[in-house]
Amino acid sequence: MEKHTIIETMLGTKLVGLQYEPLFKYFESRRASHNCFSVISATYVTNDAGTGIVHQAPGFGEDDYATCITAGLIEPGKAIVPIDSDGMFTSEVPDYVGQYIKDADK
């Protein structure tokens, strides 16, 4: 097991507004114009269940959608959904275009 050093502890609210580097670069161009890849707060994210931090996918969940609209990250009806009606990645995700989403899990 790797050893880690805690360099600071803080409340999650102190992280709100900070931006982060996304793991995948497909939508990074939206960062400046939409404030994407920012830490936001939501009442349904708590520290007593799970990690206290979650990824928002506004095109795939009602809570995520509402939270991202409230935070100003998306406009109503404008959530990114880079899969088609058959569950295949669209050209917005060029490395996996045409691949079924669950086949890309690995």
Side-chain angles (χ1 to χ4, degrees), residues 30 33 51 88:
R30 296 176 56 91
S33 62
T51 63
M88 307 293 195

Side-chain angles (χ1 to χ4, degrees), residues 2-44:
E2 281 187 51
K3 291 188 176 191
H4 295 84
T5 302
I6 297 173
I7 54 175
E8 186 175 356
T9 60
M10 67 182 74
L11 293 174
T13 54
K14 290 192 76 171
L15 301 173
V16 172
L18 295 178
Q19 289 196 324
Y20 60 90
E21 184 177 334
L23 293 174
F24 301 101
K25 307 292 185 190
Y26 304 117
F27 303 101
E28 191 172 29
S29 64
R30 296 176 56 91
R31 178 193 304 267
S33 62
H34 293 82
N35 205 24
C36 292
F37 310 110
S38 298
V39 178
I40 60 176
S41 180
T43 57
Y44 61 89

Side-chain angles (χ1 to χ4, degrees), residues 19-97:
Q19 289 196 324
Y20 60 90
E21 184 177 334
L23 293 174
F24 301 101
K25 307 292 185 190
Y26 304 117
F27 303 101
E28 191 172 29
S29 64
R30 296 176 56 91
R31 178 193 304 267
S33 62
H34 293 82
N35 205 24
C36 292
F37 310 110
S38 298
V39 178
I40 60 176
S41 180
T43 57
Y44 61 89
V45 180
T46 64
N47 64 358
D48 62 343
T51 63
I53 190 166
V54 297
H55 165 80
Q56 299 293 299
F60 301 97
E62 184 177 356
D63 285 336
D64 293 9
Y65 179 78
T67 299
C68 288
I69 287 174
T70 300
L73 300 180
I74 61 168
E75 297 173 25
K78 302 286 185 175
I80 296 172
V81 182
I83 60 169
D84 64 19
S85 59
D86 293 322
M88 307 293 195
F89 280 106
T90 64
S91 61
E92 293 176 293
V93 185
D95 294 328
Y96 301 98
V97 66

